[in-house]
Amino acid sequence: VQLQASGGGLQHTGGSLRLSCAASGSGFSIDDMGWHRQAPGKQRELAASITSGGSTNYADSVKGRFTISRDNAKNTVYLQMNSLRPEDTAVYYCHARVYRLGQAPYLYWGQGTLVTVSS
């Protein structure tokens, strides 16, 4: 399974960006997908996640500003980020918890995409 993330870039405070992450491969199903982020000098933290059934979870710092969604048919997860703040500056990593028949679930990570918000 490979995760390909895209959509990062530079935005001003108050702007918006949309991240996408697509899982490719065969013979698997995905439970939860989501996005972690890691700011310079800080630990990686969960920003948002979504289950295959559509249940979502957000970090308090992004609630009301970020919206996570997914297209199960395309094995793709999206993160719509609005009202961006300088403290949202980070490398964003998508993840997918993958299940294969007869195997324990495995957590895959995308390559990371940089989001920079200028003040």
Side-chain angles (χ1 to χ4, degrees), residues 18-99:
R18 187 186 192 219
L19 306 182
S20 300
C21 178
S24 61
S26 62
F28 65 90
S29 60
I30 301 176
D31 183 12
D32 67 281
M33 301 184 78
W35 298 88
H36 283 68
R37 65 184 185 179
Q38 187 165 18
K42 295 188 177 181
Q43 289 188 331
R44 188 177 298 190
E45 63 174 3
L46 177 68
S49 64
I50 183 169
T51 67
S52 57
S55 296
T56 58
N57 182 39
Y58 295 95
D60 288 342
S61 57
V62 308
K63 282 180 182 177
R65 301 186 298 120
F66 290 10
T67 302
I68 191 168
S69 61
R70 66 189 280 176
D71 184 332
N72 290 329
K74 296 181 179 180
N75 288 326
T76 300
V77 63
Y78 306 96
L79 187 67
Q80 178 66 44
M81 305 184 294
N82 298 330
S83 302
L84 285 164
R85 304 168 179 169
E87 52 264 39
D88 295 319
T89 296
V91 177
Y92 285 70
Y93 299 91
C94 64
H95 76 263
R97 195 175 307 278
V98 171
Y99 291 81

Side-chain angles (χ1 to χ4, degrees), residues 98-111:
V98 171
Y99 291 81
R100 296 182 185 274
L101 186 63
Q103 298 181 19
Y106 188 84
L107 192 64
Y108 287 86
W109 294 93
Q111 82 278 17

